[in-house]
Amino acid sequence: VSRPDFGCATCWPEAAEAAWTAQTRLSTEHQLVDESHFRVTLRRCVTCSQVFLKIFTESVDFTHGEDPQYWTIIPLTAEEATGLIEAPEPPSEAALGAIGPGRRSLRRDYPSGGSLTCAWNTGVGLLVHD
Ligand SMILES: [Zn+2]
């Protein structure tokens, strides 16, 4: 199964940690959701023009006091990016979760009481937040 290539060596390098660092350098082009526990932005690479969807979710951990935080970054097709930008309403968790099944995404997890991990994943998947 061939899949389209996304991004370039600048914005989407092979190593997950390097990709996270590269992604932090991209500027925000659109803010789709801006809630305290749920933030969704679109960022674009100035080198290759690839648009990325970045999702931040946070849950409140009343037991440990450290709120688990999760980030997902996934490259978008031009059609997906346009659809999100032109939609009259902010995207729902379900709509975002259905984007790019099987497509390589970057996941950064900071679970409560756990250690920070950064790894390749696929798709967006279930989004849970407070
Ligand atoms: Zn790029």
Side-chain angles (χ1 to χ4, degrees), residues 2-8 12 14 48 50 75-77 103-104:
S2 68
R3 59 180 189 192
D5 288 325
F6 292 96
C8 66
W12 208 227
E14 277 302 313
C48 69
Q50 174 67 53
L76 298 179
T77 65
R103 186 182 307 163
R104 189 162 77 162

Side-chain angles (χ1 to χ4, degrees), residues 44-56:
R44 184 187 298 273
C45 174
V46 294
T47 304
C48 69
S49 297
Q50 174 67 53
V51 175
F52 293 88
L53 176 69
K54 183 175 184 179
I55 303 167
F56 166 78

